[in-house]
């Protein structure tokens, strides 16, 4: 037969396989089409098989299982703890619902700010060569926003003459210098380096974190308690004022107090740390009155919070993780307890009301 001869010339395929083309497998038909002339072979089956194989290949390419690390692969029916949303996305949804109501029309601009790259301020270390450090920061086109705020409050914009300082400006904690870049300038400060006096030149922090220290209105000789001190930015700012006769820095977390100790060792000279001017403890602030009988002229309580910017940018140690759901739900109660205990102590002791300032953020 002519069909069997042509099939024999192309390959060793048995011609009897073509007697029932309707029962032949599409994949087999595709393989046969490579070796045979195709005269006794249905072309429609070959086209269908080719499309099928090509579709499977495209599907495997799109799946791209090789790029998924083995430790991240899981079976859907076993993944009971698979997060529905990333913690950062859950945080943004929570903020939209909560802050959208609280701030109203202001929330969209606040939202953009939180989602933008963080800008740090450089808190000048007065224990270093502070004048030289300030000059270097000014050369970077940064400005001291603390002194600028003081000058704007004391200068009459129309007459240009110096006016009497307002009570608000005179009540701010003194000797603080923090440099920031102007609005729209996204420059970064270089990492702080060890100065000629053996301590770091400046401390990079969120400039807004300095506001509670300024509002505390420290006076020379004050005894100060920083109840939730870690990681140490506000504690360092309190020491920069030069007003603290004694400073107690407390934080419940021992790991966070370890970070606080590192900050103090890097920025505060040893003789100041050794004169009992700074005392670091790890006590429960809710029981401070039972554990600590000392009284203080100033108390700074920066209560634990959701750390909004961190929650929107970092998955690691994010309080909106599913494993920290109960901790997040109990956070308002913890904040109330920490604030209420000191308000009660201040109100019960009338002699300390006028001489004690209280700040909570």
């Amino acid at each position: 037969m002519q069909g069997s001869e042509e099939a024999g010339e192309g390959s060793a395929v048995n011609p009897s396989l073509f007697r029932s083309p309707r029962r032949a497998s599409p994949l087999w038909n595709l393989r046969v089409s490579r070796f045979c002339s195709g005269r006794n072979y249905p072309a429609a089956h070959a086209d269908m098989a080719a499309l099928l194989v090509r579709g499977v290949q495209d599907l495997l390419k799109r799946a791209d299982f090789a790029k998924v690390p083995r430790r991240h692969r899981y079976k859907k029916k076993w993944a009971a703890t698979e997060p529905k949303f990333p913690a950062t996305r859950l945080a943004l949804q929570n903020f939209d619902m909560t802050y959208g109501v609280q701030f109203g029309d202001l929330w969209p601009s606040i939202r953009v700010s939180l989602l933008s790259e963080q800008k740090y301020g450089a808190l000048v270390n007065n224990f270093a060569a502070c004048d030289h450090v300030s000059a270097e920061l000014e050369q970077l086109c940064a400005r001291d926003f603390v002194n600028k705020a003081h000058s704007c409050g004391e200068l009459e914009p129309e007459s240009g003459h110096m006016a009497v300082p307002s009570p608000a400006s005179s009540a701010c904690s003194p000797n603080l210098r923090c440099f920031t870049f102007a609005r729209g300038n996204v420059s970064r400060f270089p990492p702080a380096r060890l100065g000629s006096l053996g301590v770091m030149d400046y401390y990079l922090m969120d400039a807004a974190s300095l506001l509670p220290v300024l509002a505390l209105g420290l006076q020379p000789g004050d005894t100060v308690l920083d109840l939730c001190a870690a990681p140490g930015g506000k504690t360092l700012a309190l020491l920069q004022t030069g007003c603290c006769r004694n400073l107690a820095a407390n934080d419940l977390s021992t790991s966070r107090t370890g970070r606080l100790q590192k900050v103090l060792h890097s920025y505060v000279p040893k003789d100041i740390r050794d004169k009992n001017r700074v005392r670091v403890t790890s006590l429960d602030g809710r029981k401070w009155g039972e554990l600590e009988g000392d009284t203080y002229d100033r108390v700074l309580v920066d209560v634990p919070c959701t750390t909004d910017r961190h929650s929107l940018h970092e998955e690691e140690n994010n309080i909106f993780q599913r494993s920290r759901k109960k901790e997040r739900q109990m956070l308002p109660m913890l904040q109330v307890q920490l604030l209420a205990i000191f308000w009660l102590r201040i109100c019960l002791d009338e002699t300390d009301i006028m001489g004690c300032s209280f700040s909570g953020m």
Side-chain angles (χ1 to χ4, degrees):
M1 300 289 293
Q2 184 179 359
S4 61
E5 291 176 358
E6 292 180 355
E9 292 175 359
S11 66
V13 178
N14 189 349
S16 61
L17 294 176
F18 298 97
R19 295 176 182 175
S20 301
R22 293 183 180 178
R23 297 181 182 179
S25 171
L27 292 178
W28 169 253
N29 289 339
L30 179 63
R31 187 172 62 182
V32 172
S33 65
R34 297 181 179 179
F35 302 99
C36 303
S37 61
R39 295 182 181 179
N40 296 331
Y41 174 85
H45 285 191
D47 295 339
M48 185 182 300
L51 291 174
L52 178 62
V53 173
R54 196 175 299 114
V56 173
Q57 291 175 348
D58 292 342
L59 182 62
L60 291 175
K61 288 181 180 179
R62 292 179 182 178
D64 201 5
F65 295 108
K67 292 184 179 180
V68 181
R70 186 179 184 86
R71 63 181 181 277
H72 292 160
R73 300 178 191 175
Y74 56 85
K75 291 187 177 181
K76 287 288 185 181
K77 62 180 180 181
W78 291 351
T81 60
E82 178 195 359
K84 301 300 180 183
F85 300 104
T88 52
R89 181 178 174 186
L90 184 61
L92 183 58
Q93 291 179 347
N94 185 282
F95 295 157
D96 283 336
M97 291 186 295
T98 305
Y99 295 151
V101 175
Q102 293 181 359
F103 296 108
D105 296 337
L106 296 176
W107 169 237
S109 60
I110 299 174
R111 189 180 192 268
V112 171
S113 177
L114 287 174
L115 292 173
S116 302
E117 184 178 0
Q118 185 172 5
K119 292 179 62 176
Y120 289 96
L123 176 65
V124 177
N125 187 6
N126 290 331
F127 300 114
C130 51
D131 293 334
H132 176 69
V133 174
S134 298
E136 288 185 344
L137 294 175
E138 289 176 352
Q139 291 179 357
L140 298 175
C141 298
R143 58 183 181 178
D144 181 4
F145 85 91
V146 178
N147 288 333
K148 182 177 177 60
H150 284 314
S151 61
C152 289
E154 298 172 6
L155 182 66
E156 292 292 338
E158 296 181 357
S159 62
H161 298 292
M162 297 301 293
V164 177
S166 64
S169 62
S170 61
C172 291
S173 300
N175 304 325
L176 291 174
R177 285 181 281 185
C178 185
F179 285 80
T180 58
F181 291 107
R183 179 180 298 179
N185 187 344
V186 294
S187 302
R188 289 174 172 267
F189 290 103
R193 62 180 185 274
L194 195 65
S196 58
L197 300 181
V199 291
M200 306 296 282
D201 287 338
Y202 53 82
Y203 181 80
L204 295 179
M205 62 186 300
D206 190 337
S209 299
L210 200 62
L211 298 180
V213 180
L214 290 168
L216 204 56
L218 294 181
Q219 301 298 322
D222 280 345
T223 58
V224 184
L225 167 63
D226 189 358
L227 188 65
C228 307
K234 296 183 183 64
T235 303
L236 181 61
L238 290 170
L239 290 172
Q240 299 301 315
T241 63
C243 296
C244 299
R245 176 163 52 91
N246 295 106
L247 173 62
N250 177 77
D251 200 279
L252 179 60
S253 171
T254 55
S255 62
R256 288 171 61 84
T257 52
R259 293 174 58 189
L260 172 61
Q261 292 278 19
K262 291 181 179 179
V263 170
L264 295 178
H265 279 74
S266 300
Y267 288 87
V268 182
K270 187 176 185 298
D271 58 337
I272 296 180
R273 300 196 310 266
D274 293 345
K275 289 181 180 179
N276 293 327
R277 287 184 56 183
V278 185
R279 182 167 58 96
V280 179
T281 58
S282 296
L283 305 176
D284 189 345
R286 294 169 294 183
K287 302 178 181 178
W288 187 265
E290 304 172 7
L291 303 173
E292 183 73 40
D294 295 339
T295 58
Y296 299 91
D297 300 305
R298 300 288 191 271
V299 178
L300 175 63
V301 185
D302 184 16
V303 294
C305 62
T306 54
T307 54
D308 295 352
R309 187 183 294 275
H310 174 81
S311 299
L312 292 175
H313 290 270
E314 301 290 339
E315 288 292 329
E316 184 179 358
N317 198 30
N318 194 317
I319 198 169
F320 284 88
Q321 292 176 349
R322 296 184 64 184
S323 59
R324 303 183 66 183
K325 183 178 180 179
K326 291 184 178 179
E327 178 185 355
R328 187 175 74 251
Q329 291 175 341
M330 295 299 297
L331 197 57
M333 179 61 66
L334 174 62
Q335 294 171 341
V336 170
Q337 291 173 340
L338 289 171
L339 294 174
I341 187 172
F342 283 94
W343 274 118
L344 290 174
R345 287 174 63 87
I346 292 172
C347 293
L348 291 175
D349 191 356
E350 296 181 357
T351 59
D352 290 338
I353 293 178
M354 299 303 295
C356 183
S357 297
F358 186 85
S359 177
M361 293 293 290

